[in-house]
Amino acid sequence: MKNIRNFCIIAHIDHGKSTLADRLLDATGSVTAREQQAQLLDSMDLERERGITIKSHAIQMKYTHEGEEYILNLIDTPGHVDFSYEVSRSIAACEGALLVVDAAQSIQAQTISNLYLALENDLEIIPVLNKVDLPSANPEEVTDDIVDLLGCAAEEVIPASAKTGLGIIEILTAIIERVPAPKGNPDESLQALIFDSVYNPFRGVETYFRVLNGEISKGQHIKFMATGKTYFADEVGTLNLKQTPKKVIKAGDVGYLITGIKEAKEVKVGDTITDAKSPTTNMIEGFEDVKPMVFAGIYPVDTEDYEELRASMEKLQLNDASLVFVPESSAALGFGFRCGFLGMLHLEIIQERLEREFDMTVITTVPNVSYHAYTNREPDELILVNNPSDLPDPSRLNRMEEPFIKATIITKSDFVGSVMSLCIEKRGVITNQTYLTTERVELSFDMPLAEIVFDFYDRLKTVSKGYASFDYAPIGMRESKLVKVDVLLNGNVVDALSALLHQDNAYDIGKKMCEKLRQLIPRQQFDIPIQAAIGAKIIARETVKALRKDVTAKCYGGDISRKRKLLEKQKKGKKRMRQVGNVEIPQEAFMAVLKLND
């Protein structure tokens, strides 16, 4: 056990985590020349196309240091704020962390939030200054920033370049010398933490775990403590580039387990695996439940695919434990699911993965956040509003509360004005402003979560020319004046397009929604009125004009009454058609509501 080291790599987006992981794999000879490729651990097509890590990936390496062989278990983690739950799970399975900072971009908001996560779990932090070979790198200044942040000595910061391979040996030496060996008792009964799982169509659910005490061997009778079910360990092994079966996995090590489980619901991330005959009494603690930030409805295009969509979502949830969903139904779209996501990028990725991995074409409704509504009944009755249709009747409503967040934005001092005006437009209140250096400022705002859901991140990047980094944490519920804005098409309410908005913004957003829908809804044989309404009051209207056939073309001259007769006949037909006509809403219309400022 003293020769095992478990560590993860944490950093902001684009600071070079995956490239550094590639170099560590090369240096330890874990991959052959044939297997080498950039972003080796990013196995999903989506990750490669976008150049981002979505899933944390575990891999085992062997390295000889001063004549002794060490086993290094590396977990590469995502950098985007929407996947912070993946990072928290990886950290729970490690004793040390490489904190990677880009020498050209310095410390960013996500670096700080991941660092605090690691410090809460008492991890040994090894600071790595990456990309020192770049012409725009500023190693001395960034090293000072890291020293201020961590309170370490400047000599402890390892200068490296994942592109050229500089500093890789020093990093491996630091991991062996600085990261503590895992603590655990090999003689106690088995206690292992599940930190990830993946669905294999041929072998069922593959569970990734870290053994804290005892050992797990092939053919052992094991028990999952959260569900209370028992299984046989058909295969256990270590996670090399390809899975390597082993007879036994001992305390302190990381591995995978195949038990032939077919039901996705039976495996819970953060659960404890123990021996069925002599189980451990204490479950592993410290895994918080995921708190979804953004809610949206996901519906199958064809209602018959509902059960298939449910199965796909369950399999996806295994691989992405931060996805939360419950069944719901909509008058416009039929049966589907109300899903909770950690952010807009997360929503987009889930939708892409459903289409790619499970061939499910889905419709996503307008995302919103979860509100609290209090009614007039005594004492205050609380109703959780995840969907605008859950809102109680206004006559029964006492007050509404919406979730607020503490937003931390780090930007160059040139962009402070434009960032502030964006945040104030989004109903933010500035709480703190700190100059980290003469060039870089940290701004803190209290903002409603609903305002950052749609386009805040994109607009922040635009106003700061890409130089702002953003991180947020929930700070609880606050009272707010909210109204429900309904969209009516041809006089019928489309519940999938309803939204809960702040009173001050309702008129503007209602008007923009109508204008956007007018461009996207295809023309019919009759006029289609598009209206936005608060209760019974219409606040905006646009009309999609009818396609008209020239019915008077055959009248050459003659009395005007002949033309009038034909036009009146057409008018009657249009009126009848409008009463029975159905308006088809294209998928783009549901998503367009998010991009109102484009």
Side-chain angles (χ1 to χ4, degrees):
M1 236 172 81
K2 67 178 177 39
N3 286 8
I4 296 177
R5 299 287 182 271
N6 299 318
F7 69 100
C8 58
I9 304 181
I10 54 177
H12 190 77
I13 317 156
D14 278 346
H15 280 205
K17 294 177 294 301
S18 299
T19 317
L20 181 63
D22 289 349
R23 292 294 82 76
L24 291 172
L25 292 171
D26 294 347
T28 55
S30 305
V31 288
T32 61
R34 269 184 74 181
E35 292 166 327
Q36 274 179 10
Q37 54 173 334
Q39 287 171 273
L40 187 71
L41 294 181
D42 290 353
S43 49
M44 246 186 280
D45 294 346
L46 254 176
E47 293 179 312
R48 296 184 157 281
E49 282 166 26
R50 290 172 176 246
I52 57 174
T53 305
I54 294 168
K55 284 286 304 160
S56 47
H57 299 271
I59 191 162
Q60 189 173 89
M61 307 179 285
K62 290 192 171 73
Y63 183 65
T64 308
H65 175 67
E66 294 177 359
E68 274 195 73
E69 189 175 68
Y70 288 84
I71 291 174
L72 310 177
N73 289 310
L74 152 72
I75 303 179
D76 181 24
T77 64
H80 199 283
V81 62
D82 279 17
F83 304 113
S84 55
Y85 189 65
E86 288 282 330
V87 183
S88 72
R89 288 165 31 201
S90 306
I91 285 173
C94 296
E95 278 86 29
L98 293 182
L99 181 74
V100 180
V101 179
D102 187 326
Q105 296 181 43
S106 189
I107 291 162
Q108 308 262 312
Q110 196 57 32
T111 318
I112 296 171
S113 85
N114 283 343
L115 171 68
Y116 288 152
L117 263 179
L119 291 174
E120 276 169 28
N121 285 291
D122 297 329
L123 264 63
E124 177 64 37
I125 308 289
I126 300 174
V128 175
L129 185 64
N130 196 15
K131 306 192 186 181
V132 289
D133 59 317
L134 286 181
S136 58
N138 206 340
E140 294 82 11
E141 198 178 302
V142 180
T143 304
D144 293 344
D145 290 351
I146 297 173
V147 169
D148 291 347
L149 180 69
L150 289 176
C152 62
E155 296 75 54
E156 289 177 39
V157 181
I158 303 170
S161 164
K163 191 165 138 196
T164 60
L166 172 79
I168 299 299
I169 302 303
E170 289 83 345
I171 292 172
L172 287 165
T173 309
I175 291 165
I176 287 164
E177 289 173 358
R178 293 199 225 164
V179 174
K183 297 179 183 68
N185 187 343
D187 305 322
E188 273 187 34
S189 56
L190 170 66
Q191 187 190 28
L193 167 78
I194 299 176
F195 67 87
D196 204 355
S197 54
V198 58
Y199 187 80
N200 180 331
F202 305 109
R203 312 191 66 180
V205 178
E206 296 173 0
T207 312
Y208 298 162
F209 62 86
R210 152 87 198 272
V211 184
L212 297 186
N213 293 312
E215 57 182 41
I216 183 167
S217 49
K218 187 177 174 174
Q220 186 176 350
H221 205 47
I222 53 160
K223 179 180 177 185
F224 285 16
M225 290 183 79
T227 54
K229 300 203 171 177
T230 56
Y231 307 97
F232 279 103
D234 296 340
E235 187 181 306
V236 294
T238 52
L239 294 154
N240 298 75
L241 195 58
K242 294 189 173 62
Q243 294 170 340
T244 314
K246 295 273 169 76
K247 285 273 190 299
V248 63
I249 303 234
K250 298 192 172 167
D253 213 347
V254 173
Y256 72 93
L257 160 75
I258 294 175
T259 52
I261 301 173
K262 288 283 185 282
E263 280 293 312
K265 300 193 273 290
E266 293 176 26
V267 180
K268 287 189 168 46
V269 166
D271 192 1
T272 308
I273 306 175
T274 187
D275 187 54
K277 296 191 181 77
S278 55
T280 177
T281 47
N282 51 337
M283 281 182 74
I284 299 164
E285 288 175 7
F287 246 109
E288 78 271 12
D289 268 347
V290 58
K291 294 184 190 71
M293 296 283 183
V294 179
F295 294 87
I298 286 187
Y299 293 86
V301 172
D302 192 344
T303 326
E304 292 166 8
D305 297 339
Y306 173 69
E307 281 305 325
E308 205 177 317
L309 179 63
R310 180 199 292 274
S312 304
M313 300 273 274
E314 281 175 358
K315 287 171 190 169
L316 194 53
Q317 194 177 31
L318 265 183
N319 198 233
D320 185 348
S322 45
L323 171 66
V324 182
F325 62 91
V326 290
E328 73 161 4
S329 63
S330 143
L333 300 169
F335 290 106
F337 296 96
R338 184 108 205 122
C339 306
F341 305 95
L342 296 180
M344 288 298 287
L345 178 68
H346 189 206
L347 183 153
E348 209 178 306
I349 295 293
I350 292 289
Q351 197 179 339
E352 280 267 328
R353 288 184 69 183
L354 279 170
E355 288 187 9
R356 288 183 185 211
E357 294 172 30
F358 302 100
D359 288 334
M360 294 298 309
T361 319
V362 292
I363 292 174
T364 314
T365 64
V366 183
N368 59 2
V369 298
S370 188
Y371 300 95
H372 286 178
Y374 290 91
T375 59
N376 294 323
R377 294 189 183 155
E378 288 299 324
D380 278 353
E381 180 192 2
L382 168 67
I383 296 173
L384 195 65
V385 181
N386 282 336
N387 196 344
S389 57
D390 301 341
L391 193 68
D393 191 74
S395 59
R396 286 175 46 218
L397 199 60
N398 179 355
R399 67 183 192 280
M400 287 205 55
E401 291 182 349
E402 64 175 330
F404 268 68
I405 55 155
K406 185 172 197 60
T408 309
I409 297 168
I410 297 179
T411 184
K412 279 194 164 180
S413 46
D414 313 0
F415 305 117
V416 170
S418 48
V419 169
M420 271 192 186
S421 55
L422 171 67
C423 292
I424 290 162
E425 180 197 325
K426 297 282 188 186
R427 295 192 284 135
V429 177
I430 189 159
T431 54
N432 197 1
Q433 179 177 355
T434 321
Y435 274 81
L436 303 171
T437 65
T438 51
E439 283 290 300
R440 297 171 69 242
V441 191
E442 182 181 319
L443 302 167
S444 295
F445 288 90
D446 285 359
M447 294 175 77
L449 178 64
E451 294 290 340
I452 67 155
V453 164
F454 299 137
D455 57 353
F456 178 76
Y457 193 63
D458 297 345
R459 287 185 62 197
L460 177 67
K461 287 288 184 203
T462 310
V463 298
S464 65
K465 298 188 180 164
Y467 277 108
S469 65
F470 167 68
D471 187 40
Y472 62 86
I475 52 171
M477 309 294 283
R478 296 188 187 175
E479 196 171 331
S480 198
K481 286 182 177 173
L482 298 165
V483 289
K484 180 183 170 193
V485 176
D486 288 316
V487 173
L488 289 82
L489 279 183
N490 204 10
N492 302 323
V493 174
V494 181
D495 58 353
L497 289 172
S498 298
L500 280 170
L501 302 170
H502 193 264
Q503 206 166 0
D504 302 347
N505 304 342
Y507 175 74
D508 286 345
I509 294 181
K511 191 168 185 300
K512 280 183 181 168
M513 276 164 95
C514 289
E515 286 169 0
K516 200 83 177 175
L517 287 168
R518 196 193 82 199
Q519 296 162 16
L520 289 165
I521 287 175
R523 290 170 71 184
Q524 305 280 351
Q525 294 285 336
F526 51 92
D527 281 4
I528 307 169
I530 302 169
Q531 296 160 307
I534 298 174
K537 184 185 175 192
I538 303 290
I539 56 169
R541 168 173 172 147
E542 294 284 334
T543 308
V544 178
K545 282 295 180 193
L547 287 166
R548 298 180 66 114
K549 184 181 171 192
D550 189 359
V551 287
T552 59
K554 60 186 181 200
C555 288
Y556 300 112
D559 192 4
I560 184 69
S561 57
R562 290 179 61 202
K563 283 189 179 177
R564 181 64 36 82
K565 184 177 144 193
L566 289 166
L567 289 169
E568 287 296 328
K569 189 177 170 190
Q570 184 187 31
K571 194 170 162 188
K572 272 185 195 159
K574 297 260 183 227
K575 189 177 175 187
R576 191 170 66 248
M577 205 185 284
R578 182 171 160 188
Q579 284 165 353
V580 297
N582 260 342
V583 182
E584 289 284 321
I585 308 172
Q587 160 75 23
E588 299 87 71
F590 292 107
M591 295 315 285
V593 186
L594 316 182
K595 304 189 176 81
L596 291 176
N597 288 312
D598 292 3

